[in-house]
Amino acid sequence: MTDTTDKQDHYLLGVDRDALHRYELFNEIYQPATAMRLATLDVQPDARVLEVGCGIGRTACYFAAEVVPDGHVVGFDQSDQLVELAKEFAAEQGIDNVSFFTAKAQDHDFEPASFDLAHTRYVLTYSPFAATAVARIYAALAPGGVFFAEEVTQDYVKHNAPPWCDKIYRWFERLVELSGGDPNYGRHGLPSHMLDAGFQDLTATAFTPIQDQAKIVEMLRLAVSNEFRHAIVDAKIATEQEVDACVDSMSRADPAAVISTATAFQVTGVRR
């Protein structure tokens, strides 16, 4: 088990407008799989939905459109900047059955049985306090409520992926470990924490988005060059020169190569 002594729950990636485009690409790449799984969950039009780690709010707003006219979505994130971007997007889209606030997943304290569905995507992977967060999500759900979690494992479809792709994932894996998170949380920690919290009827599905190569490469390039570049160097995971060489290789990516994101596990569980 990872030692979380002196670990802090913080963002490895960007939290301001400079990171907005990468977050948008991330959502475009992963949202189709989220929508497919959501369609199997029989979400009612009056459902109360909790979005844990809402980021820029795209997924929370998607859920809000699914629970009209009587449902409501509450989204929260630990970044004030991202919450403001989420509020701006909801206002621009005229979505009024969603609300946002700032909090950490392990600290939120809703009234028990406040929600029918809770969702999170690529949030608990980063946290040294994931088990506490899952327990709090359990407490926030009503009996019969569903927790739908999507979290990463660093296994991914390699095919003929170039060396820079493997290098990026190894760098990311090390950064997550140093932060006290678990780079394979979706496959290992998530199901275990859900069972420990009391969830029943667990189901898990693995998926690895590869459908839009240009978006995947651009998302990875922005992450490396703009967002966790300094963290990689400061942690002595790679040198400035190695990062520059990796970004340069990405700019010359072979369009015939198959680039994938890290594999995500979609895990659902029910509060009985």
Side-chain angles (χ1 to χ4, degrees):
M1 180 175 293
T2 303
D3 180 9
T4 60
T5 306
D6 298 327
K7 298 295 184 184
Q8 298 296 318
D9 198 16
H10 64 280
Y11 263 86
L12 291 179
L13 297 170
V15 294
D16 54 27
R17 290 183 186 275
D18 290 342
L20 180 60
H21 184 46
R22 188 197 57 79
Y23 280 112
E24 289 173 335
L25 289 170
F26 175 88
N27 188 69
E28 291 170 12
I29 290 166
Y30 279 93
Q31 189 64 26
T34 301
M36 288 179 64
R37 189 61 180 271
L38 179 65
T40 71
L41 298 182
D42 192 29
V43 179
Q44 299 300 304
D46 61 349
R48 303 161 296 168
V49 181
L50 178 65
E51 179 71 10
V52 179
C54 64
I56 61 174
R58 300 303 192 262
T59 305
C61 287
Y62 174 83
F63 277 89
E66 295 294 304
V67 295
V68 291
D70 299 318
H72 189 84
V73 178
V74 175
F76 70 90
D77 197 279
Q78 67 183 39
S79 165
D80 290 322
Q81 298 98 314
L82 296 184
V83 166
E84 286 306 309
L85 291 173
K87 290 178 178 178
E88 288 178 15
F89 179 76
E92 289 169 0
Q93 300 298 310
I95 300 172
D96 57 10
N97 64 330
V98 62
S99 54
F100 297 100
F101 69 98
T102 303
K104 292 191 174 186
Q106 71 272 13
D107 294 334
H108 74 75
D109 192 19
F110 292 103
E111 287 293 322
S114 297
F115 297 95
D116 305 299
L117 173 68
H119 174 259
T120 190
R121 186 169 67 196
Y122 269 39
V123 172
L124 302 178
T125 293
Y126 298 94
S127 176
F129 312 109
T132 300
V134 172
R136 287 181 175 266
I137 291 166
Y138 181 88
L141 285 168
V146 174
F147 180 30
F148 169 23
E150 302 178 276
E151 295 291 342
V152 69
T153 182
Q154 283 300 112
D155 296 330
Y156 64 97
V157 179
K158 292 187 177 182
H159 293 303
N160 58 335
W164 61 260
C165 188
D166 185 68
K167 188 173 295 184
I168 288 171
Y169 283 113
R170 299 289 75 76
W171 289 348
F172 175 80
E173 183 175 44
R174 187 60 183 141
L175 279 178
V176 172
E177 290 172 342
L178 289 173
S179 74
D182 180 356
N184 294 297
Y185 183 71
R187 185 175 47 155
H188 298 301
L190 176 59
S192 176
H193 289 163
M194 289 176 69
L195 289 171
D196 288 345
F199 285 104
Q200 299 180 33
D201 305 329
L202 264 64
T203 63
T205 304
F207 70 98
T208 309
I210 59 173
Q211 76 277 13
D212 196 321
Q213 295 293 283
K215 287 181 180 178
I216 290 171
V217 172
E218 178 64 2
M219 179 185 71
L220 294 173
R221 186 191 67 80
L222 288 170
V224 174
S225 60
N226 292 355
E227 296 186 66
F228 63 74
R229 175 191 184 95
H230 294 301
I232 293 170
V233 174
D234 290 346
K236 295 182 170 48
I237 295 170
T239 65
E240 292 268 8
Q241 293 75 20
E242 288 172 324
V243 176
D244 288 340
C246 182
V247 173
D248 182 62
S249 295
M250 296 177 75
S251 68
R252 296 181 282 105
D254 180 357
V258 177
I259 309 302
S260 73
T261 66
T263 297
F265 273 71
Q266 294 178 322
V267 184
T268 59
V270 180
R271 175 173 180 173
R272 295 299 184 188

